[in-house]
Amino acid sequence: MGIEIEKIDFSEADHSAFAIRLEQNLAVLQQLIDDPDFGEGPASLGAELEMYVVDAAGNPLYANEEILAAARDPQLTLELNRYNLEYNLSPYAIADSAFASTEREILAKLEHLRTAAAPLGGRIVPIGILPTLRQTDFGAHCITGLRRYQALVDQLIKRRGD
């Protein structure tokens, strides 16, 4: 995740090559799942933390790229909308107090992120869906400025027709 792409326009040959690679990856995944030893070994816990960037009134603040730059944290990634971020948290062995370790990491990461967001007038809300979203918070003007998101939106529009 978080890898940028080089182009946003794709030919039929690109789509065909992608479909072939996708099928190959799915076949490898099926082999892994079918392996009787799959999942053996010490249990671990890994998590992602979805977050919104909001202003003082609790409305979306379109500043995820600026906060990412200020935070300088390789575990932090941009999301589709300019007011979303995601932390890819460290995995912890269940035997090593994984829930407590994850909680400590979340609290430390949030404090660091709050410090990065404050100069922009932003606050960080760790939540899946922000209840203060308005219709005006959706659309092309909200999309994070990465080619992979532009390509995603372009493909959705092509397939849906709007």
Side-chain angles (χ1 to χ4, degrees), residues 67-126:
I67 293 170
L68 177 73
R72 295 184 181 156
D73 186 332
Q75 289 177 281
L76 185 65
T77 61
L78 297 172
E79 286 288 303
L80 175 65
N81 291 307
R82 294 175 50 207
Y83 43 78
N84 289 114
L85 290 162
E86 177 183 286
Y87 261 120
N88 295 296
L89 301 169
S90 303
Y92 296 99
I94 295 292
D96 295 332
S97 303
F99 290 101
S101 297
T102 300
E103 178 187 26
R104 282 191 298 275
E105 183 177 10
I106 287 171
L107 294 173
K109 296 285 188 186
L110 285 174
E111 184 57 36
H112 175 68
L113 207 52
R114 286 179 178 123
T115 302
L120 299 166
R123 296 183 303 152
I124 303 300
V125 180

Side-chain angles (χ1 to χ4, degrees), residues 23-35 38:
E23 288 298 325
Q24 290 169 340
N25 280 285
L26 289 172
V28 171
L29 177 60
Q30 187 64 56
Q31 289 173 351
L32 180 65
I33 292 170
D34 290 343
D35 185 334
F38 178 72

